[in-house]
Amino acid sequence: MEQKKIRPLAVVTGASSGIGYELARQFVQNGFDVLIAAEDDGITEAARSLVGGGRVESVKVDLARYEGVEALYAKIQSLGRPVDAIAINAGVGVGGDFARQTRLEDELNLISLNVTSSVHLAKRVSKDMAQRRSGRILFTSSIAALMPAPFEAVYGASKAFIQSFSESLRNELADVGVTVTALLPGPTETNFFHRAGMDDTRVGQQEKDDAGEVARQGFEALMAGKDKVVAGSLKNRAMAAAVQVIPDTASAQLHRKLSEPGSGTKNK
């Protein structure tokens, strides 16, 4: 009797909607069992809707808290299976003038989720992968990592951290066969800008890239072992290329025009 083939296991955070949900869909459609995580109740419905030939499980955890990351890692361990791939995607934005508009509590929560939880989860999972000499890690960065980000100052800095961290970790793990890939999307059609309080900005109101297409490009780059991929439209790739050669003052001004509160109304 032929033994049933064991499917590889992937973990995706921030997977109740947006890019995270679409990344989970990519894994399911490409032969993975998937564990998805998010802090909201939508994660349960997301798991139900991810139909495919494999198993999909969900866990509701607040990754902005130390205990939340530990709870996710405990769930991973309880499966008794190696993690073949992980997409560390959970993140949040805060829009507005840092000194005069935004709340410190929101920005500290952003750092806890975007930066601290990413390091925490990567620490747990990468150690297991290094010991096994096998695994793939995908970090969701942003083209905001490539430029100063006025009116998203802490968010942009958090993604610059993730980009540097991803590149460094990739170098460290190269000798044990573990790959690390950074996904750099531009403005994408998700709930991100609404949650960040940026509905009235130019970037909040403009046409955005499709989350499914961004996720597909990220998944393909991960499976190919690439160091990074600037995902989305040709416009996004052109912007990413441009901001790496123009002065920071110019790229900061470009970001300001897109993200300044009220800029969407001004440009109607």
Side-chain angles (χ1 to χ4, degrees), residues 70-104:
E70 288 296 296
L72 173 56
Y73 185 60
K75 175 64 176 180
I76 292 171
Q77 290 182 304
S78 75
L79 299 177
R81 301 172 57 184
V83 174
D84 296 280
I86 185 166
I88 300 178
N89 167 78
V92 69
V94 174
D97 183 300
F98 175 79
R100 292 164 289 189
Q101 290 182 324
T102 58
R103 298 194 321 147
L104 176 62

Side-chain angles (χ1 to χ4, degrees), residues 89 108 248:
N89 167 78
L108 293 179
D248 284 348

